[in-house]
Amino acid sequence: MATAVHRVSIALESHHIPSLQIQRDGDGVLRSSSNDDTTAHRGLYQQLKPADGGIAAWKVLFAAFMFEAILWGFPISFGVFQNYYAKLPEFQDNPHITIVGTMASGIPYLGAPFMAIVVRRHQGYRQYMIWTGWPLCIIALLASSFVSGIGALIVTQGIIYGTGFLIFYYPIISIINEWWIQRRGMAFGVITSAAGVSGIAMPFIIESLLERYGHRITLRAVAVAMTILTGPLIPFTKSRLPPSQASVAIRQGWSFARSPLFFVYSTDNIAQGLGIFFPSLFLPSYAASIGLGSWYGALLLALMSFAQVLGQSIFGLLSDKVELNALLCFFPSRLPL
């Protein structure tokens, strides 16, 4: 029990919250009080639930896992849609089909630095962001089921869906950072492996629906499934810190940007990012081009997703216990070729 209080105290002190005192009362809830002039003037008396465990923390992590698995699992399975679209007379031989999947998966990455700044400066509006981005994803799929032409698909299934996911996802990542501190690597390993879990089954489900009902009914069915499976989980994404404390907690200097190691890791990350989506986008099309059935393309995506689950979950667990440089030495495959 004392260890838990000590861990939270270290985590919060590292965020430079002034004169913060933390104690655990009889019901196991962490209570904090601040001697800061403004806080004292307002008579603020905060209740902080335990980080790195407890029902509330696991509920947030479970919700984030489901969001990642379903809402992010869909665009990274776009290769199945791409293979199907290429066979339709209205899209056949159209060189711009790949742009749909590129927009849906690329916008969340390209917009991440900007969305991170917005979330950091407007902590109190994270729930509004979540409730704005989530319906955008649903609306994008419904709209794409009614349109004709590749340009309209790029806008709906690509741009609108990607933008909705961008607005929806990064406030949740910010909330996860509040609930998981000492075990943050494990938490993000679980979250990032979620898309792999869904990727094992989702390509087969989408392939089956496309063959039986066509892309319009499939897109509507996916939109309904997303609504049912993820909508009830949004209330779980509650902040651990009040907005005032949360905004203080993320303040940090930029001294890390002067570290050579930072540039090494950034270069590695960029190099990996340049090629990470090629397999998921083109494996189904490649399988079809060499005469294999569409189910083989889905199988290749499923096998890749299975490897993703193992890799990301294991690395997440190890990152809480093993120094990062040691991990890179033992797993050189993580380095860009």
Side-chain angles (χ1 to χ4, degrees):
M1 184 176 296
T3 303
V5 175
H6 177 64
R7 287 179 177 176
V8 176
S9 300
I10 292 176
L12 291 176
E13 286 170 5
S14 67
H15 294 313
H16 309 292
I17 298 179
S19 304
L20 188 64
Q21 299 176 346
I22 302 177
Q23 295 180 339
R24 186 187 294 272
D25 62 9
D27 60 2
V29 176
L30 295 177
R31 303 185 183 277
S32 66
S33 60
S34 174
N35 293 327
D36 180 73
D37 293 339
T38 303
T39 306
H41 177 71
R42 295 180 180 178
L44 182 62
Y45 185 76
Q46 303 292 350
Q47 293 185 0
L48 296 181
K49 294 184 179 180
D52 298 308
I55 295 177
W58 284 108
K59 284 166 65 176
V60 172
L61 185 59
F62 173 73
F65 177 90
M66 292 298 293
F67 295 145
E68 175 91 7
I70 298 173
L71 275 82
W72 185 238
F74 175 76
I76 66 174
S77 300
F78 177 75
V80 178
F81 272 98
Q82 177 178 307
N83 189 42
Y84 177 83
Y85 287 151
K87 299 176 182 178
L88 296 179
E90 54 189 308
F91 303 131
Q92 197 169 18
D93 299 324
N94 192 311
H96 304 303
I97 295 176
T98 58
I99 298 178
V100 180
T102 302
M103 291 292 102
S105 58
I107 288 177
Y109 278 97
L110 293 176
F114 307 100
M115 194 63 197
I117 295 174
V118 172
V119 172
R120 181 178 61 186
R121 293 182 177 178
H122 304 283
Q123 296 281 304
Y125 292 91
R126 287 182 296 188
Q127 287 298 319
Y128 296 101
M129 298 176 195
I130 292 171
W131 281 108
T132 299
W134 178 75
L136 270 181
C137 293
I138 308 299
I139 292 171
L141 295 185
L142 291 175
S144 62
S145 70
F146 291 98
V147 302
S148 299
I150 198 66
L153 277 179
I154 292 174
V155 172
T156 53
Q157 191 176 348
I159 295 175
I160 296 178
Y161 188 94
T163 302
F165 187 82
L166 171 67
I167 298 172
F168 168 81
Y169 186 66
Y170 288 96
I172 294 176
I173 293 298
S174 174
I175 293 172
I176 288 291
N177 280 332
E178 296 179 7
W179 286 100
W180 297 91
I181 302 173
Q182 298 295 332
R183 302 174 67 188
R184 186 170 294 167
M186 180 279 296
F188 278 99
V190 169
I191 294 172
T192 54
S193 67
V197 173
S198 67
I200 296 174
M202 190 171 290
F204 294 106
I205 296 173
I206 293 177
E207 180 68 34
S208 178
L209 290 172
L210 288 173
E211 287 186 357
R212 182 171 298 185
Y213 301 108
H215 69 286
R216 300 186 187 279
I217 298 298
T218 298
L219 288 167
R220 294 166 196 170
V222 172
V224 172
M226 282 186 179
T227 303
I228 295 174
L229 295 175
T230 62
L233 299 178
I234 294 180
F236 290 174
T237 58
K238 295 180 180 179
S239 302
R240 177 172 174 264
L241 302 176
S244 58
Q245 283 194 14
S247 62
V248 172
I250 48 76
R251 290 177 184 171
Q252 61 183 13
W254 289 90
S255 59
F256 66 88
R258 295 191 294 270
S259 170
L261 197 59
F262 168 76
F263 287 99
V264 172
Y265 290 148
S266 298
T267 302
D268 171 52
N269 198 43
I270 292 171
Q272 183 215 21
L274 290 174
I276 191 173
F277 289 112
F278 280 105
S280 62
L281 286 174
F282 292 106
L283 275 177
S285 298
Y286 176 74
S289 69
I290 61 176
L292 298 177
S294 58
W295 279 90
Y296 284 95
L299 177 61
L300 290 173
L301 289 181
L303 291 175
M304 186 181 69
S305 298
F306 178 73
Q308 175 185 340
V309 173
L310 293 179
Q312 292 180 322
S313 57
I314 291 174
F315 265 93
L317 287 170
L318 290 177
S319 66
D320 288 331
K321 305 177 183 297
V322 183
E323 205 274 328
L324 182 58
N325 291 329
L327 286 179
L328 291 176
C329 291
F330 281 102
F331 298 94
S333 61
R334 278 289 296 119
L335 297 174
L337 299 178

